[in-house]
Amino acid sequence: MKIDGKPYRTIWVAPGGGAVEVIDQTKLPHRFEIVRLGDLAAAAHAIKAMVVRGAPLIGAAGAYGMALALDKDPSDAGLAQAYETLVVTRPTAINLRWALDRVRAAVSPLASDARAAAAWTLAAEICDEDAAICEAIGEQGLKLIEAAWDKKGRTGVVNVLTHCNAGWLATVDWGTAIAPIYKAHDKGIPIHVWVDETRPRNQGASLTAWELGKHGVPHRIVADNSGGHLMQHGLVDLCIVGTDRVTARGDVCNKIGTYLKALAAKDNGVPFYVALPSPTIDWTVADGVKEIPIEERSPLEVTRIAGRLPDGTVVEVDIAAPGSPARNDAFDVTPARLVTALITERGVCAATGEGLLGLFPEARAKAVG
Ligand code: MRU
C-alpha cells in the first residue's frame, strides 16, 4: 500500500542484504520510522516488543529472523536455538510457528553452508505469498460488501465495524479484514469504517485509523464499548475482523474484545465475518477456548497510555492510581457459532470443520475433529 504516494510493504530486505528493515509500529501514528534488524536478537525483540505485530507479519518476521540467525550460525545447534528463541516471542498467533516450521523443514536437510541462502529465499517467498493471499482475501470479502451495498438498494453508505488492526500493517501488504474495505473503496462503493480503539494498546486508534486515513477511506474511531450501541441503532451493516488463530472447527482467536463484538452482532442480527489467510488455521486444535494459549502481557499496558504533546513529544502517562493492580489478556476466543462466515483466499465458508475442509480439502488428514 502507499504512504503519501510511495509504495511500502511492512518488511523488506535492507539495501545490500544481510539485514531486514521494518516499519516501527510502536511509533505510529506519531512518527513514521524504519528500523533495521541485523541479527536474531533484534528480530526476536522486534516481535516481542510489537515493533512488528499482526499474525501474518509476525510469521514473516520470524522467517527472516531464522535467515539472520543462520547467517551467523548455520549448524544444527544454531538452527535449533534460532527456532526456540523466536517461537516463544508471541505465543498466540499460529502464523509464527507455521513460518518457523516451514523454514526449519526446508533448511534442515541442507548442508550447513547452504542453509542461510535458502532461508533468505524462503522468507522472501513467504512475504510474496502473504501479499498475494491478502489481496485474494480482499477480492473474496469485496463480494460481501457488494452484497451489503445491494441490500441497501445502493444508497447511502456501507458501515463496517472492525476491531484491532487487521490492515496492511498487520500483514506484509493489503491486510486481512481491511483488504476487502480497500477493494470496495477503490471500486467506488461508499464505505465508512467504525474503528474500535482497541485498548489497551490502541491498535485501532493508532494503526487502523492511520492506514485508512492514508488511503482516504472514511472512518471514525470509537471507544471499545460503543459497538453494541451502534449496532442497536442500525449503524453497522457488517463487522469484519482479523484473527491470530482459527481452530479446525472454526473457533476464532483474535484481539481481546472481539468476542464481545461478536455477541453484540449476534444479538442485533449484524453479520460477523472473520478474514484469515490459510496459515492462520491451526488444524491441530478443535476447541479454541480450552486449547489456544492466550498471551498475557504487562499490566503496565493497561495502567499507562502513550500520547503526543502539542510540541510533538511523545510521552507515557499513568491513568490509574499508583499501585493499582491490572491484568492484561491480549486475546480472546469467539466460538464458531457466533461467526457468520470465514473469508479466506480461496473463498467464503461457514465457520465449521466441514466449511473449512470444503475450501482446504488437502488438510483433511491432519485436521482434528
Ligand atoms: O497483538 P497484535 O497487535 O499482534 O494483535 C493483532 C490482531 O489481533 C489482529 O487482529 C490479528 O493478528 C489479525 S491481523 C491480520
Side-chain angles (χ1 to χ4, degrees):
M1 303 299 284
K2 288 184 181 157
I3 301 173
D4 301 331
K6 186 174 170 194
Y8 275 94
R9 283 184 169 186
T10 51
I11 188 165
W12 59 91
V13 177
V20 174
E21 290 179 347
V22 298
I23 299 169
D24 184 347
Q25 301 195 22
T26 64
K27 299 287 181 359
L28 290 171
H30 307 304
R31 288 198 292 265
F32 181 79
E33 289 181 12
I34 288 165
V35 176
R36 186 181 167 90
L37 311 176
D39 57 21
L40 170 64
H45 173 265
I47 299 170
K48 198 170 181 57
M50 296 177 66
V51 171
V52 289
R53 31 67 52 206
L57 178 55
I58 293 170
Y64 275 122
M66 295 284 274
L68 288 165
L70 292 169
D71 268 345
K72 301 258 163 41
D73 182 358
S75 67
D76 285 353
L79 179 61
Q81 198 221 338
Y83 186 98
E84 296 307 330
T85 302
L86 290 161
V87 80
V88 294
T89 50
R90 303 251 359 237
T92 300
I94 194 65
N95 306 58
L96 176 60
R97 198 175 76 201
W98 170 86
L100 298 179
D101 284 347
R102 191 165 158 189
V103 175
R104 183 172 65 179
V107 305
S108 289
L110 304 178
S112 57
D113 61 356
R115 285 177 171 172
W120 281 102
T121 302
L122 184 50
E125 278 172 26
I126 286 172
C127 288
D128 289 346
E129 275 175 31
D130 182 64
I133 284 174
C134 287
E135 183 167 9
I137 289 171
E139 293 292 345
Q140 298 296 341
L142 170 63
K143 296 175 199 164
L144 299 172
I145 295 175
E146 280 178 321
W149 179 226
D150 286 342
K151 200 173 159 197
K152 295 185 99 166
R154 298 195 161 238
T155 56
V157 59
V158 179
N159 286 298
V160 183
L161 182 139
T162 193
H163 191 70
C164 195
N165 173 259
W168 72 271
L169 288 170
T171 65
V172 174
D173 207 350
W174 282 101
T176 57
I178 306 297
I181 291 168
Y182 287 134
K183 290 282 180 185
H185 174 79
D186 292 352
K187 210 176 166 187
I189 296 173
I191 193 158
H192 164 264
V193 186
W194 298 112
V195 179
D196 282 356
E197 59 178 348
T198 317
R199 286 279 296 142
R201 288 187 66 102
N202 293 316
Q203 288 95 328
S206 301
L207 304 176
T208 304
W210 181 81
E211 60 164 274
L212 288 172
K214 289 288 175 199
H215 199 78
V217 180
H219 64 279
R220 272 176 279 180
I221 300 166
V222 288
D224 282 332
N225 303 326
S226 307
H229 168 77
L230 294 171
M231 291 182 215
Q232 276 177 332
H233 289 270
L235 295 171
V236 181
D237 296 304
L238 64 159
C239 302
I240 315 181
V241 300
T243 171
D244 292 79
R245 197 186 296 214
V246 171
T247 72
R249 71 179 189 199
D251 291 345
V252 168
C253 183
N254 192 46
K255 182 54 54 191
I256 193 83
T258 303
Y259 173 44
L260 289 175
K261 294 301 144 64
L263 284 170
K266 186 81 172 177
D267 194 44
N268 288 283
V270 173
F272 190 87
Y273 297 111
V274 178
L276 64 139
S278 51
T280 302
I281 306 167
D282 185 348
W283 297 102
T284 69
V285 162
D287 185 327
V289 175
K290 290 195 184 128
E291 297 177 69
I292 296 178
I294 300 295
E295 177 181 11
E296 195 173 334
R297 295 185 64 85
S298 167
L300 292 177
E301 292 182 351
V302 177
T303 58
R304 283 187 185 160
I305 200 157
R308 189 185 56 230
L309 297 174
D311 70 358
T313 321
V314 176
V315 293
E316 274 195 0
V317 295
D318 288 327
I319 56 169
S324 283
R327 173 174 162 145
N328 187 10
D329 298 282
F331 300 95
D332 62 25
V333 173
T334 299
R337 65 188 153 76
L338 298 178
V339 177
T340 306
L342 302 170
I343 309 169
T344 79
E345 70 269 25
R346 290 197 192 165
V348 176
C349 70
T352 60
E354 283 312 307
L356 282 166
L357 288 170
L359 292 178
F360 300 96
E362 69 275 20
R364 190 170 286 277
K366 63 180 170 185
V368 294

